[in-house]
Amino acid sequence: MSTLPVEQTLDCRGLSCPLPILKTKKTVNSMADGEVLMLLTTDPGSPGDVAAWAKKTGNKVLTSQAEAGVYTFYIKKTLLRGMV
């Protein structure tokens, strides 16, 4: 398991798409720029969903791993610069 400093943890184990992404969006929106969220999911579609969401929103997936059917993502909130 990573030793990254984490401001919040979101446990979405047992939830199916689209709930992990919807809950991630809500949680990240409540965080300050630069804070890190640790997201736990069991949805096998999560790696692709999280990557697509991060690319679309400008947030950064610092690291991810899969172990024993649990996907763990460390997501850094990054405000989109230059957007009005």
Side-chain angles (χ1 to χ4, degrees):
M1 195 57 83
S2 178
T3 58
L4 288 170
V6 172
E7 280 72 34
Q8 290 196 49
T9 300
L10 179 60
D11 188 347
C12 290
R13 290 177 285 188
L15 300 178
S16 296
C17 184
L19 289 175
I21 292 299
L22 293 174
K23 289 180 176 283
T24 298
K25 178 184 183 297
K26 183 177 179 180
T27 301
V28 169
N29 284 347
S30 73
M31 296 171 68
D33 188 32
E35 289 186 334
V36 175
L37 170 70
M38 181 174 74
L39 169 64
L40 304 167
T41 74
T42 51
D43 183 352
S46 292
D49 293 344
V50 170
W53 172 82
K55 183 177 180 180
K56 180 180 178 181
T57 62
N59 294 293
K60 182 172 176 145
V61 178
L62 299 175
T63 186
S64 63
Q65 61 190 41
E67 186 175 321
V70 177
Y71 302 92
T72 304
F73 304 91
Y74 291 83
I75 302 167
K76 182 176 183 180
K77 179 171 182 173
T78 306
L79 296 177
L80 290 174
R81 307 287 189 241
M83 302 286 291
V84 178

